[in-house]
Structures are given as structure tokens and as C-alpha cells.
Amino acid sequence: MYDIKIHPHKLYFKQPAGTSRGIYVTRDVWYLHLTSDMYPDRIGIGECAPLPKLSCDDIPDYESVLSRICNRVAAEGTFSVEELREYPSILFGLETAFRHLEAGSFALWNTPFSHGEVGIPINGLIWMGDYKKMLEQIEMKMQTGFRCIKLKIGAINFEEELTLLRFIRSHFSAKEIELRVDANGAFSPVDAMDKLSRLAELDLHSIEQPIRAGQWEEMARLTEVSPLPIALDEELIGINTSENKRRLLEQIRPQYIILKPSLHGGIAGGDEWIRLAEELTIGWWITSALESNIGLNAIAHWCATFNNPLPQGLGTGALFTNNIEMPLEVRKDCLWYSVTH
């Protein structure tokens, strides 16, 4: 016998977060509280966090759909990944709530990370903003000790963005600091190649989503000839079946894919993306998608089950004024789980 209670929660950003879909000041999430007669003294908590105007399950009646699905899952005592492929944020919430309930701890998987023995290398994220604000963020990340910095570009003048990247390169070589950029689809197919060539001169690691999603032929042309490795992000949203995932990867052949469980199919969907990518020798890393610390913790513990040496995108836990307390902390450029909790 299971019971699932849904708790809506509004997160408040410490400062407005600029994204390709506008500026976020608040963020709505739904926490699932799962209980069962089988585990009388436990509770499983999962986070459902669709991103407005981006998630394939960002739908007007989200809460009623979530309620209907949770009622059915509670009655049946299980859920079907196949039936929830169109609702990745709901699937992720249910997967992690059940995992938490069964584990009896927020250490969801048994790994060196969950024992507090190792940290997960992460990138330092520079948010979109004017030149001065972005430069301040860059200097702070470098002083903190980050060895991988990711800049969101496409919001200000391209020449100014190049100047910011040159500033970093004038102080640190590619061996000292890895630079990633995320264009969020800001380039047009016409000017993308020229911009990629200019960015490649700065010894960047990769660029995420240079042109907007859905232009498979144009993207495939770019990945074939670009001097800068291309990573897909938004391109993966709504590609929910195994058949379509393989078709996308085989047609575009990106150098990397970036996986966000809330957007790209939950834990099960992420495992599927990784298996397909590795079959095709495509690199990958895992990123959170503005979840609270509940979701971030679950993503981090899942991430730690893989031996992926690349810096992951898991440093969003300090964004909110009213985040949920979790035993996570960033030390220099790594995310750690504190076993004292």
C-alpha cells in the first residue's frame, strides 16, 4: 500500500537568472512525498520540476496530470517508464521518490561519492548578463578554483563575448582552465560556421546548441565540419522513444550530448541516452536544470554511478533564497556529499 502527497513549492532566485527562455525570478516545483506500509518509518521524496517554455511536459494542466498519475501509481504500487516517456519531469520525481524510500537515505546509490570519499568535478556557470556582470562572475569563479568554466553566450554582442573569452585565455591556458560555451540556439545557420571558427581560435572545449533545435540537417552539417566540438542539449527535448533517440544521434552525430533528467527522460531515459551515445562513441555529461537541492542531490548520486571524468553541470544549489537543506557542498570545483547528515 502506497500513498503519494504532492507539495507545490515556489523557489525564489537570489538574483534574476538569465536564460535563453527569458529571465527567471521564481521557479515552481512539486515535491512528491511517498510512503508505504512496507517501510513504516520512511518517506521517499522526489522533485518534479518542468522548465517553463522548455520542457516537453510544460503543460497548462500540469498539476492535475501529476495528481492523476500519482493516484494511479499509489494504487498500483508501481509505475511504467513507457507510459511516462512524455512526462520526463514526473518520471524523474517518481523514480527518485521510490529510490529514496527504498534506500532509506538521501544517499540514493552506493558509491564513493555517497560515502563522502570523492567529489564530482563540476563546471563554474557564468550567467547571461551585461559585460561587467559576466566579467565579475568569471573572476570570482577563477579565484574559487574552478578548472572548467561554462559561459552562456548569445545574449550580448558577440564581439563583447569574444572579449570575455579572450580575457580568460590571457590569464589561463586551455590546460589550466577548460572553457565551454552555451549558445542556446542563438546563432543562425547562415553565420554559425563563421562564429564557430572564431570561437575555436580560443581553445574552447565545446559549444552547446549553436543553432536552435529542430534543424537536424543544418546541425549535422555543422557537427561534420565545425572546428569546435558541438554538444546537444535542447535538441534532445521531446525525443522520448529509443528509436527516435538513435535516429537523432545517428543523423546529427554530435561530439557530445548533455543530459538533464527532468528534461530528457528521467533516470531511465538518461541511462538510455548514455547507452546509445556510447555505442556511437559520442561523449556526454550530466547537468541539473534549475532544480532545488532535492533534485540536484538525486542527479548527483545518479551521476556518481558512472565513471565519467568530465566536469559535470551540477553547481546550481546556491541559486535560491529558500532552497531545501541538503548535505551537499561545493569545495573548489567539486560537489561533495557530506556523510555526517
Side-chain angles (χ1 to χ4, degrees):
M1 179 72 182
Y2 288 90
D3 182 64
I4 303 175
K5 289 188 167 52
I6 301 168
H7 296 269
H9 186 68
K10 190 179 287 290
L11 294 162
Y12 293 89
F13 284 88
K14 291 178 181 175
Q15 53 192 40
T19 73
S20 61
R21 294 303 188 273
I23 296 172
Y24 291 131
V25 179
T26 62
R27 171 93 165 89
D28 291 320
V29 301
W30 288 262
Y31 297 123
L32 307 183
H33 286 205
L34 173 69
T35 53
S36 169
D37 295 343
M38 290 185 289
Y39 307 99
D41 299 320
R42 294 184 189 176
I43 185 168
I45 301 175
E47 178 174 353
C48 301
L51 273 171
K53 301 179 185 175
L54 192 60
S55 297
C56 65
D57 55 359
D58 172 38
I59 49 178
D61 56 344
Y62 183 87
E63 196 161 344
S64 64
V65 171
L66 176 62
S67 179
R68 188 172 72 244
I69 289 171
C70 286
N71 287 339
R72 190 176 77 233
V73 170
E76 296 174 359
T78 187
F79 59 89
S80 163
V81 170
E82 289 302 317
E83 289 177 11
L84 293 176
R85 281 185 184 267
E86 292 179 25
Y87 305 104
S89 66
I90 296 176
L91 175 58
F92 175 66
L94 285 166
E95 286 173 316
T96 51
F98 271 87
R99 187 87 203 177
H100 183 209
L101 183 71
E102 289 160 12
S105 160
F106 279 115
L108 302 185
W109 280 269
N110 183 16
T111 64
F113 172 74
S114 73
H115 295 294
E117 295 165 5
V118 299
I120 299 172
I122 60 174
N123 62 239
L125 179 61
I126 308 301
W127 287 92
M128 290 177 174
D130 62 33
Y131 181 89
K132 184 169 176 289
K133 282 183 181 170
M134 291 179 79
L135 183 58
E136 285 171 0
Q137 292 180 70
I138 289 165
E139 290 178 321
M140 191 171 71
K141 294 294 183 191
M142 291 193 296
Q143 287 167 11
T144 304
F146 277 93
R147 289 169 292 174
C148 176
I149 291 178
K150 171 183 162 180
L151 284 85
K152 286 183 172 289
I153 63 173
I156 60 175
N157 179 276
F158 184 64
E159 298 302 328
E160 287 190 348
E161 290 168 338
L162 283 175
T163 302
L164 284 168
L165 292 164
R166 287 194 194 102
F167 169 80
I168 303 173
R169 274 290 165 259
S170 69
H171 290 76
F172 298 94
S173 70
K175 286 183 180 176
E176 293 169 304
I177 283 191
E178 182 178 283
L179 282 177
R180 299 171 177 173
V181 292
D182 181 0
N184 285 120
F187 301 166
S188 75
V190 175
D191 68 7
M193 196 59 221
D194 176 60
K195 289 182 174 178
L196 291 172
S197 297
R198 296 184 70 191
L199 289 166
E201 293 170 3
L202 295 164
D203 285 327
L204 305 190
H205 173 268
S206 57
I207 182 169
E208 292 179 37
Q209 208 67 45
I211 61 175
R212 62 179 170 75
Q215 305 174 88
W216 288 18
E217 285 186 20
E218 295 287 354
M219 189 70 87
R221 182 177 62 81
L222 289 175
T223 58
E224 188 175 5
V225 298
S226 171
L228 182 59
I230 290 174
L232 301 185
D233 177 0
E234 289 98 328
E235 201 75 65
L236 311 183
I237 296 171
I239 309 299
N240 296 323
T241 68
S242 181
E243 182 184 7
N244 286 341
K245 288 174 185 178
R246 180 179 289 279
R247 193 162 61 86
L248 179 144
L249 295 179
E250 287 181 344
Q251 182 169 336
I252 297 180
R253 294 276 172 172
Q255 283 74 34
Y256 298 98
I257 59 172
I258 298 161
L259 298 168
K260 300 172 177 174
S262 293
L263 292 172
H264 301 143
I267 302 297
D271 287 339
E272 195 170 62
W273 276 115
I274 289 168
R275 179 176 53 78
L276 290 169
E278 291 184 342
E279 282 178 20
L280 298 168
T281 61
I282 293 168
W284 57 271
W285 65 86
I286 291 167
T287 300
S288 51
L290 301 180
E291 295 89 355
S292 75
N293 279 337
I294 297 290
L296 174 62
N297 178 75
I299 295 167
H301 281 279
W302 171 59
C303 180
T305 64
F306 302 98
N307 293 314
N308 186 337
L310 293 176
Q312 311 293 304
L314 301 175
T316 61
L319 287 176
F320 307 110
T321 61
N322 61 332
N323 211 332
I324 308 299
E325 282 283 317
M326 289 293 288
L328 296 170
E329 63 175 318
V330 177
R331 298 182 213 154
K332 287 191 176 177
D333 65 343
C334 287
L335 183 70
W336 289 78
Y337 183 75
S338 172
V339 291
T340 57
H341 286 68

